[in-house]
């Protein structure tokens, strides 16, 4: 293998590049990224960076002494993949021929149709998004967050700490019911009301009010919530448009095997854009968590370097964390499919507990709030289990 | 030298945190070795004594960067800087720590707090 192209210059792409070198790949390594920035960390964008506690320098994912020997092609968007030539086409017409391709194009924030061009309306996915939002939060006033998922909740918590008047609007009856289940979704989202942040559930958004700048969020039940700034946190979609027609099978992202292999030999997918087969549940699952984007590329790189001749191992169950209102939330496993949730340590009232999700008596997930020590022990015990 | 704890009170596989500023933790590995490092992860405000001890490494309980107890070196992001290591001395069944004179690599939020700035 003489050239490997990594498309997407963020956590999963960087992890793949590191794995290639660690596994002894000595050839040409090209990393293509649509953003102008070198790989940076996204989780702080809704937390410490948005709060102003850390600056841009601290977001860098690379170490100063890192020797990746990669060619960085930044500010360049891939627009196509030619499977026969195995060439990555770029928007500016350039073409990168490679023997192996790592797809790491991640996900992009979903927007609300019809709200483009209205000042004061934000999504949060990139550093540029975070800079713009930080500037608007500095104006103070009223913030309305549309969507009570993790990123929406973190923005609400950061803005609350900055002294803004915050309202969260969630279309579902309970925020976070998807990732955490109804009962624990209720517990975690109660952090908003603990702090006097308004939480409106079970009501959709009809549109936004305002001429040049947003001044209100209009709800489907007729209410109008005054707003100086609005954050739309309604999830992310995988960035795989550029692969349409390439022969790489797509289905909610790049459809891949348990080790990241795609339908095309010599092409693997990693990170938020990859819909991996999950042997724990027997279904494909696109995991949008930091730790997966960090750890899983190594298996995909192994496949690439061995030309597909590897035995897939069992991946660790998905893990993520979130920080809201000074509370550390940690979760491992799959809540969907659990038939019971039991609080085994601490109490939900204290916002300090450990809850275990079970299906037919077997643990399938663990949630911790402000219990990093116990959670870590549970997570470790939990790791090797597979169905 | 700062007394940390009785050796008998620190079983193998466990850690003991000294609540000094910045905190330091003593680890007793499964092989019976003792190591002391700064307790605060260099990434964010996590206590490494709450982490997962495996061999001569401790994994941060929050985002799983791993630190080598012998050298303080970190293996993988998100943490990028090593933790300080301190000398451990056992005398008459008591574990003592001789603090390093180097500057600690505290995470930005904690460093700001110790400097008296905003958290
Ligand atoms: C605000 C925020 C907070 C988060 N907080 C947490 C958290 O607390 N805990 C947690 O577990 N996870 C968190 N996450 C999720 C975590 O950051 C992601 O899982 C991780 O960034 C995924 O990495 P990735 O490399 O797969 O994709 P991304 O980070 O999305 O990177 C993909 C890169 O590919 C580039 N790209 C896209 N299309 C193309 C193209 N056609 N050509 C070239 N380049 C392209 C993009 O510009 C981008 O730079 C958070 C995410 C955000 C946005
Ligand atoms: S706090 Fe230790 S790795 Fe993040």
């Amino acid at each position: 293998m003489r050239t490997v192209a990594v498309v997407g210059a963020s956590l999963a792409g960087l992890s793949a590049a590191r794995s290639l070198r660690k596994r002894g790949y000595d050839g040409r390594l090209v990393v293509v990224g649509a953003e102008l920035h070198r790989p940076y960390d996204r989780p702080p964008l809704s937390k410490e960076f948005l709060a102003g506690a850390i600056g841009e320098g601290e977001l860098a994912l690379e170490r100063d002494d890192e020797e990746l020997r990669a060619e960085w092609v930044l500010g360049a968007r891939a627009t196509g993949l030619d499977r026969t030539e195995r060439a990555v086409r770029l928007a500016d017409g350039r073409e990168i021929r490679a023997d192996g391709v790592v797809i790491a194009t991640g996900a992009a924030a979903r927007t609300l149709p019809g709200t483009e061009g209205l000042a004061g309306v934000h999504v949060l996915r990139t550093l540029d998004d975070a800079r713009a939002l930080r500037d608007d939060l500095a104006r103070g006033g009223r913030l309305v967050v549309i969507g009570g998922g993790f990123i929406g909740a973190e923005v609400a918590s950061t803005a609350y700490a900055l002294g803004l008047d915050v309202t969260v609007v969630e279309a579902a009856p309970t925020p976070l019911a998807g990732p955490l289940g109804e009962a624990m979704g209720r517990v975690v989202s109660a952090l908003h009301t603990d702090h006097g942040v308004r939480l409106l559930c079970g009501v959709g958004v009809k549109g936004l009010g305002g001429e040049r700048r947003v001044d209100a969020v209009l709800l489907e039940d007729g209410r109008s919530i005054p707003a100086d700034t609005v954050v739309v946190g309604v999830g992310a979609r995988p960035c795989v448009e550029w692969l349409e027609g390439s022969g790489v099978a797509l289905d909610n992202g790049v459809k891949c095997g348990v080790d990241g292999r795609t339908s095309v030999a010599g092409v693997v997918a990693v990170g938020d854009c990859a819909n991996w087969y999950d042997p724990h549940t027997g279904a494909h699952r696109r995991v949008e968590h930091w730790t997966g984007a960090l750890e899983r590329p190594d298996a995909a790189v192994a496949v690439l370097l061995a030309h597909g001749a590897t035995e897939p191992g069992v991946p660790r169950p998905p893990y993520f964390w979130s920080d809201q209102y000074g509370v550390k939330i940690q979760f491992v496993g799959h809540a969907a499919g659990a038939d019971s949730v039991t609080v085994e340590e601490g109490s939900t009232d204290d916002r300090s507990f450990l809850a275990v999700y079970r299906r037919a008596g077997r643990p399938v997930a663990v949630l911790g709030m402000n219990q990093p020590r116990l959670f870590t022990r549970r997570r470790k015990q939990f790791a090797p289990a597979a169905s | 030298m700062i007394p940390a704890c009785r050796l008998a009170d620190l079983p193998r596989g466990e850690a003991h945190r000294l609540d000094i500023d910045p905190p330091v933790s003593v680890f007793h590995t499964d092989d019976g070795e003792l190591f002391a490092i700064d307790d605060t992860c260099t990434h964010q405000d996590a206590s490494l004594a709450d982490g997962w001890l495996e061999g001569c490494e401790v994994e941060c309980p929050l985002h799983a960067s791993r630190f080598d107890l012998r050298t303080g070196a970190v293996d993988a992001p998100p943490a990028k800087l090593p933790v300080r290591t301190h000398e451990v001395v056992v005398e008459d069944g008591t574990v003592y720590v001789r603090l390093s004179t180097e500057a600690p690599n505290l995470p930005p939020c904690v460093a700001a707090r110790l400097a008296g700035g905003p958290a």
Side-chain angles (χ1 to χ4, degrees), chain A residues 290 321 328, chain B residues 40-48 59-67 74 76-80 107:
Chain A
W290 197 96
W321 74 88
K328 290 190 178 12
Chain B
T40 309
C41 182
T42 59
H43 176 233
Q44 281 172 16
D45 194 4
S47 162
L48 294 174
E59 182 179 308
C60 174
L62 293 190
H63 317 123
S65 277
R66 249 180 256 135
F67 295 90
V74 62
K80 282 176 286 186

Side-chain angles (χ1 to χ4, degrees), chain B residues 92-114:
Chain B
D92 298 330
T94 298
V95 180
Y96 296 89
V97 174
R98 188 173 286 137
L99 291 181
S100 157
T101 51
E102 283 167 42
N105 289 321
L106 294 174
C109 317
V110 174
R113 193 173 64 214
L114 287 184

Side-chain angles (χ1 to χ4, degrees), chain A residues 18 41 44 48 53-54 57-63 290 294-295 316 319 321 323 328 330 372-373 376-377 379-380, chain B residues 13-14 43-46 49-52 54 59-64 66 74-80 108-109 119:
Chain A
R18 281 180 176 148
D41 208 18
E48 302 84 5
I54 66 169
E58 274 121 14
L59 295 178
L61 283 173
E62 292 165 276
R63 283 208 296 243
W290 197 96
L294 177 81
E295 290 177 347
R316 298 219 269 165
Y319 163 64
W321 74 88
D323 302 329
K328 290 190 178 12
Q330 298 177 282
R373 179 186 169 82
T376 299
R377 274 143 191 77
R379 178 185 170 204
K380 288 290 174 178
Chain B
E14 293 292 325
H43 176 233
Q44 281 172 16
D45 194 4
D50 287 348
W52 184 254
E54 202 166 306
E59 182 179 308
C60 174
L62 293 190
H63 317 123
R66 249 180 256 135
V74 62
D75 74 323
K80 282 176 286 186
C109 317

Side-chain angles (χ1 to χ4, degrees), chain B residues 21-33:
Chain B
D21 215 358
V24 166
S25 278
V26 182
F27 293 83
H28 196 176
T29 69
D30 288 328
D31 293 336
E33 289 187 278

Side-chain angles (χ1 to χ4, degrees), chain A residues 3 39 69 81 105 136 141 184 197 222 248 298 349 352 378 380 383:
Chain A
T3 302
R69 288 174 291 126
L81 176 69
T105 42
D136 259 4
M184 290 301 144
V197 165
V248 172
D298 191 51
D349 288 346
S352 170
R378 283 304 182 107
K380 288 290 174 178

